[in-house]
C-alpha cells in the first residue's frame, strides 16, 4: 500500500532551515504543512480558511508578513491535521485561482516562528524586490523599480552613495543571480571604485517563495 501513496518532493530547498538535504527530505515526508505562494496582498485569512478547508480540517494558517510594515506580503503556511489532507490540497488547489491569481501550493517542512516574515531587503519577499512588472495585487511595481521611478536611481546605489564621502562617491554595478527560491535566494553585487574592484555579498531572501 505504501507504494500507492508517494510524497511529491518540494520545488525548493530552504537553505535557512538548518537541515541537510536528507534531513529536509525526511521533514517533508512527515510534514502536514503546505506553503502557499503568489497570493494577493489583499487576500484575507478568512478567504484562505474557506478555500483550504475544502480539502480537510485546517489546524492553522500563518499569514506571511512584511518584516517592516507587518502587513501581508503574498504567502502563507497552511497546516492540516493529516498528511492525506495536505496532499489533497497540493493536488487540487495548486494552480487554482484565488482573488484572480493563480496560486502555488507546495510541501513545506513545517512552520517555525520567524518564517512568517519576508526575507527581502525592503521587508517583503525577494521576488518583489526585483520585479519590474506592475502587479496591483502585490503592491504595484517591485520595490527596486518603485524607488527608481520615485528617485531616479536604484535603492542600493542610493544608499551607498549617501554613505560614501562626498568627494569619493563609488559607482555600483549590480549583478543579481537568477536562482530565486521560495524561502530565499542569494544576491551578489560587484563594486568598482577608482579602478579597484571588490565584492560583497548580501543576505538571503521567504517560498515562496514561491
Amino acid at each position: 500500500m505504501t507504494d500507492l501513496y508517494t510524497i511529491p518532493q518540494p520545488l525548493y530547498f530552504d537553505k535557512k532551515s538548518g537541515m541537510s538535504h536528507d534531513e529536509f527530505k525526511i521533514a517533508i515526508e512527515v510534514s502536514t504543512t503546505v506553503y502557499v505562494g503568489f497570493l494577493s496582498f489583499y487576500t484575507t485569512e478568512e478567504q484562505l480558511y474557506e478555500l483550504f478547508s475544502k480539502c480537510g480540517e485546517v489546524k492553522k494558517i500563518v499569514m506571511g508578513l512584511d518584516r517592516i510594515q507587518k502587513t501581508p506580503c503574498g504567502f502563507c503556511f497552511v497546516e492540516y491535521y493529516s498528511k492525506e489532507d495536505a496532499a489533497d490540497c497540493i493536488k487540487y488547489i495548486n494552480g487554482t485561482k484565488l482573488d484572480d491569481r493563480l496560486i502555488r501550493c507546495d510541501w513545506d517542512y513545517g512552520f517555525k516562528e520567524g518564517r512568517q516574515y519576508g526575507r527581502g531587503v525592503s521587508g517583503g519577499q525577494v521576488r518583489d524586490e526585483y520585479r519590474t512588472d506592475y502587479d496591483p495585487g502585490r503592491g504595484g511595481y517591485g520595490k527596486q523599480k518603485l524607488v527608481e521611478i520615485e528617485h531616479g536611481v536604484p535603492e542600493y546605489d542610493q544608499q551607498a552613495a549617501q554613505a560614501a564621502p562626498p568627494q569619493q562617491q563609488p559607482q555600483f554595478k549590480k549583478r543579481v543571480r537568477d536562482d530565486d527560491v521560495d524561502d530565499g535566494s542569494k544576491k551578489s553585487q560587484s563594486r568598482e571604485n577608482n579602478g579597484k574592484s571588490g565584492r560583497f555579498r548580501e543576505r538571503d531572501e521567504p517560498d515562496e517563495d514561491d
Side-chain angles (χ1 to χ4, degrees):
M1 288 297 291
T2 56
D3 293 337
L4 299 178
Y5 182 70
T6 58
I7 304 301
Q9 293 305 301
L11 302 178
Y12 72 100
F13 170 69
D14 187 350
K15 298 181 180 70
K16 289 193 173 184
S17 65
M19 305 181 199
S20 67
H21 282 269
D22 290 339
E23 292 170 335
F24 190 83
K25 181 179 179 180
I26 293 172
I28 290 293
E29 289 175 348
V30 299
S31 175
T32 60
T33 300
V34 175
Y35 171 89
V36 183
F38 301 126
L39 292 173
S40 166
F41 288 1
Y42 305 102
T43 297
T44 65
E45 193 170 330
E46 289 74 19
Q47 288 176 279
L48 295 171
Y49 268 107
E50 182 178 358
L51 175 63
F52 288 98
S53 62
K54 295 181 184 297
C55 291
E57 189 175 359
V58 174
K59 185 175 183 179
K60 68 178 178 180
I61 291 179
V62 180
M63 297 291 289
L65 301 175
D66 185 290
R67 190 177 66 254
I68 299 171
Q69 302 295 330
K70 301 300 187 292
T71 54
C73 65
F75 71 99
C76 75
F77 299 93
V78 179
E79 183 178 355
Y80 286 91
Y81 281 98
S82 76
K83 186 74 175 180
E84 290 78 8
D85 290 343
D88 284 343
C89 167
I90 294 174
K91 181 178 180 180
Y92 296 114
I93 298 182
N94 180 43
T96 61
K97 276 193 174 183
L98 178 61
D99 277 343
D100 293 323
R101 303 182 66 85
L102 294 176
I103 62 174
R104 166 192 166 187
C105 300
D106 194 12
W107 287 107
D108 187 84
Y109 63 90
F111 173 76
K112 294 181 180 179
E113 183 60 34
R115 293 190 67 209
Q116 71 268 42
Y117 299 117
R119 297 176 179 176
V121 175
S122 299
Q125 290 190 281
V126 164
R127 64 169 53 92
D128 288 317
E129 293 284 338
Y130 301 101
R131 181 170 47 78
T132 58
D133 63 307
Y134 184 83
D135 188 341
R138 294 182 72 90
Y141 287 110
K143 299 294 181 65
Q144 283 281 330
K145 183 68 175 178
L146 186 60
V147 170
E148 290 178 11
I149 292 173
E150 293 179 349
H151 302 285
V153 293
E155 181 180 7
Y156 302 130
D157 290 8
Q158 184 185 35
Q159 291 176 351
Q162 291 174 350
Q167 72 277 12
Q168 191 179 354
Q169 291 188 353
Q171 294 181 350
F172 287 87
K173 184 177 180 182
K174 183 174 68 176
R175 180 168 61 84
V176 181
R177 289 178 57 190
D178 188 21
D179 59 350
D180 184 25
V181 291
D182 258 305
D183 63 284
S185 65
K186 296 183 179 179
K187 301 168 287 297
S188 60
Q189 296 176 321
S190 62
R191 179 175 59 184
E192 297 178 356
N193 182 23
N194 294 331
K196 298 179 180 180
S197 64
R199 304 184 102 177
F200 64 91
R201 191 182 184 93
E202 289 187 1
R203 299 181 61 185
D204 292 342
E205 176 202 267
D207 116 276
E208 173 160 35
D209 104 135
D210 319 85

